[in-house]
Amino acid sequence: LTVMGEEGRTFSQEDGETLLALARQAAVAIDNAHMHRVIAKQALTDGLTGLSNHRAFQDQLRNEVERSQRFGLPLSLILLDLDEFKQVNDLHGHLAGDTVLRGVASVLRSAIREIDMAARYGGEEFAIVLPGTSAEGAVRLAERLRVAVAARPMGGGEGVPVACTASFGVAEMPGNAQTQVDLIAAADGALYAAKQGGRNRVIAAARNRAPRA
């Protein structure tokens, strides 16, 4: 706190005490504001990976769905699930599993645009919201991520690298869905097909058929 007065003026001890009291009040207000921001961020952030959590994902997706409907812009959603992740925990321990989750989160964070959102959907499942992106563009991104995850050894327990692959499901508005619930269901269905098809692959949801005249 810097205080300036008229040239030649000397501040009294009483002035100093008044300013000190004001500074303390300001410090408390600033600290409270900072803590409020921290708590608000924590409420929307996954504590392990640093990505957005499920609640933040649903809120952001809702906003993007409304924007897509209002302006007729494409919106794509990627859901990905780590393949046989239970084996990582069973063989290497849960600390190694946590390290793998953080490593995958880092891969996602480094590959998306600023307007995109990567979130931990739950457990070993992640979601990526891609505003203004067609299904074709989302599939290309998902394939790059699939390769990147498989090629990057994740740090495991005692420094032992852990190999990891992931399966991806891609869906798009309006090609696969008209609502938020349907978009998630379409991406989840494509993810299930990728799992059933052998894992470590990208599957796009089938486009809706045009209604009959």
Side-chain angles (χ1 to χ4, degrees), residues 86-212:
K86 184 177 183 299
Q87 293 187 11
V88 174
N89 288 327
D90 291 345
L91 295 175
H92 303 281
H94 288 278
L95 290 178
D98 289 348
T99 301
V100 169
L101 292 173
R102 285 192 291 266
V104 172
S106 178
V107 171
L108 303 185
R109 192 181 295 110
S110 65
I112 63 175
R113 304 167 299 177
E114 188 173 345
I115 65 171
D116 302 331
M117 167 189 268
R120 187 179 180 191
Y121 192 70
E124 64 271 22
E125 194 168 358
F126 297 83
I128 304 175
V129 181
L130 301 168
T133 303
S134 65
E136 291 77 11
V139 167
R140 288 194 296 269
L141 173 61
E143 181 61 24
R144 291 200 304 270
L145 290 171
R146 184 194 67 79
V147 172
V149 169
R152 174 175 172 171
M154 308 295 175
E158 300 180 354
V160 178
V162 177
C164 181
T165 63
S167 300
F168 295 75
V170 177
E172 175 214 42
M173 284 186 66
N176 304 123
Q178 300 297 323
T179 68
Q180 178 173 348
V181 172
D182 289 344
L183 181 62
I184 294 175
D188 191 58
L191 173 59
Y192 180 79
K195 289 286 192 181
Q196 292 298 107
R199 302 185 180 88
N200 190 25
R201 63 192 61 214
V202 177
I203 297 292
R207 297 184 67 85
N208 295 335
R209 294 182 179 179
R212 294 182 179 179

Side-chain angles (χ1 to χ4, degrees), residues 62-82:
R62 183 180 303 109
N63 293 335
E64 295 301 342
V65 165
E66 292 175 356
R67 185 177 293 111
S68 173
Q69 293 170 335
R70 185 180 306 117
F71 299 107
L73 299 173
L75 169 65
S76 288
L77 173 64
I78 299 174
L79 292 182
L80 61 132
D81 187 80
L82 302 187

